[in-house]
Amino acid sequence: MTPSLSAGCVIAVLGAESTGKTELARALATRLAQRGIKATLVPEYLREWCEREARTPRPDEQAGIAAEQTRRIADAARHGVAVADTTALMTAVYSDMLFDDPSLYADALAAQSRYAMTLLTALDLPWVADGLQRDGPHVREPVDGRVRGALGRAGIPFAVVHGRGPERLMNAWTALNLATQAEAPTSRLGTGGDAPTGWRGACDKCSDPVCEHRMFTDLLHQRASKG
C-alpha cells in the first residue's frame, strides 16, 4: 500500500545520534520515488557544516544552522514531498542540552508543527562512532527524552520507528500509511498549511511507553533465541 501524500508534504525523521535517521530517510525517499511519488531527500545541514568547518558549532552558530535546515526543507517541499533527515528541532535540543540555551525551541517547533508527519527513530540500534557529530552512547537517552518532551509540550504527534534494516523501513511505511488513512495530510510548508491532527503509529510501534516496552522485550527475546 502506498501512502496518499500531496505535494508540499514534509516527512520529518528525528532521533538521537546513531539511531538510523539518515538510512531511514534515504530509504523512505527511495521507496516513495519507486511508488511514483516525487520525493526529495533533505540531508542534515549540520553534517555538511561540520565537514566544511572541521569542527562542531559554537553556541552562537546554532541558530543559523537550524534556520538553514528549515529553509532547505521548505525549498524541497515546494517541488513535491520532502523527506527530512532531521529538522531544526534536533539543533534546538542539542543547543538546550549542551549549551543550556532553550531559545531555539520556539522557531523549531513552529516549523515542526507544519510538517505532515514526524517519525522518531528508536534507540534499538547499536551506537556507532561517526566523526565530529557523535558525542557517545550516553547522550542518546537524554536526547530522546528531550525530543519527546518538546513534541509533547507542543502537541505535535509522532510515531516511534523500531526495527533493523528492512523491518525499520517497513514499520515507518506502516506508520505513514496509517497516518494518511486517518487524515489526508495537506500540510504545505511555507503556504500556511494547517498542522496535522493527532495520529499514532501501529500499536506496538507507537509512542506509547507500554507498547514500546513490549516491543523492546520482543526484540530482546528474538535476539536471545537467535543467539
Side-chain angles (χ1 to χ4, degrees), residues 121-184:
T121 49
L123 305 181
D124 55 345
L125 298 182
W127 183 86
V128 178
D130 185 21
L132 294 172
Q133 287 183 274
R134 297 286 164 87
D135 294 306
H138 62 285
V139 305
R140 299 207 302 176
E141 287 191 14
V143 168
D144 183 76
R146 278 178 167 81
V147 173
R148 292 170 185 255
L151 292 171
R153 289 190 298 273
I156 299 173
F158 63 96
V160 180
V161 182
H162 295 264
R164 296 193 180 193
E167 182 189 16
R168 209 172 188 82
L169 174 59
M170 179 187 70
N171 292 338
W173 195 254
T174 297
L176 296 183
N177 273 298
L178 287 171
T180 56
Q181 288 173 25
E183 58 171 315

Side-chain angles (χ1 to χ4, degrees), residues 5 28 38 61 109 125 183 193 198 200 225:
L5 299 170
L28 284 171
K38 185 176 182 181
E61 294 168 323
L109 288 169
L125 298 182
E183 58 171 315
R200 291 286 182 181
S225 64

Side-chain angles (χ1 to χ4, degrees), residues 2 15 18-19 37 56 62 72 86 90 108 167 198 215-216 226:
T2 301
S18 197
T19 57
I37 297 175
T56 55
Q62 296 285 324
R72 292 187 179 196
T86 203
M90 294 309 305
E167 182 189 16
M215 179 63 182
F216 275 109
K226 291 178 181 178

Side-chain angles (χ1 to χ4, degrees), residues 60-105:
D60 60 294
E61 294 168 323
Q62 296 285 324
I65 290 170
E68 178 61 14
Q69 185 73 36
T70 299
R71 187 197 68 77
R72 292 187 179 196
I73 293 171
D75 184 63
R78 294 187 185 99
H79 305 287
V81 173
V83 182
D85 172 13
T86 203
T87 72
L89 181 55
M90 294 309 305
T91 305
V93 165
Y94 280 104
S95 189
D96 179 20
M97 190 172 77
L98 299 178
F99 305 122
D100 196 27
D101 176 14
S103 66
L104 303 186
Y105 279 119

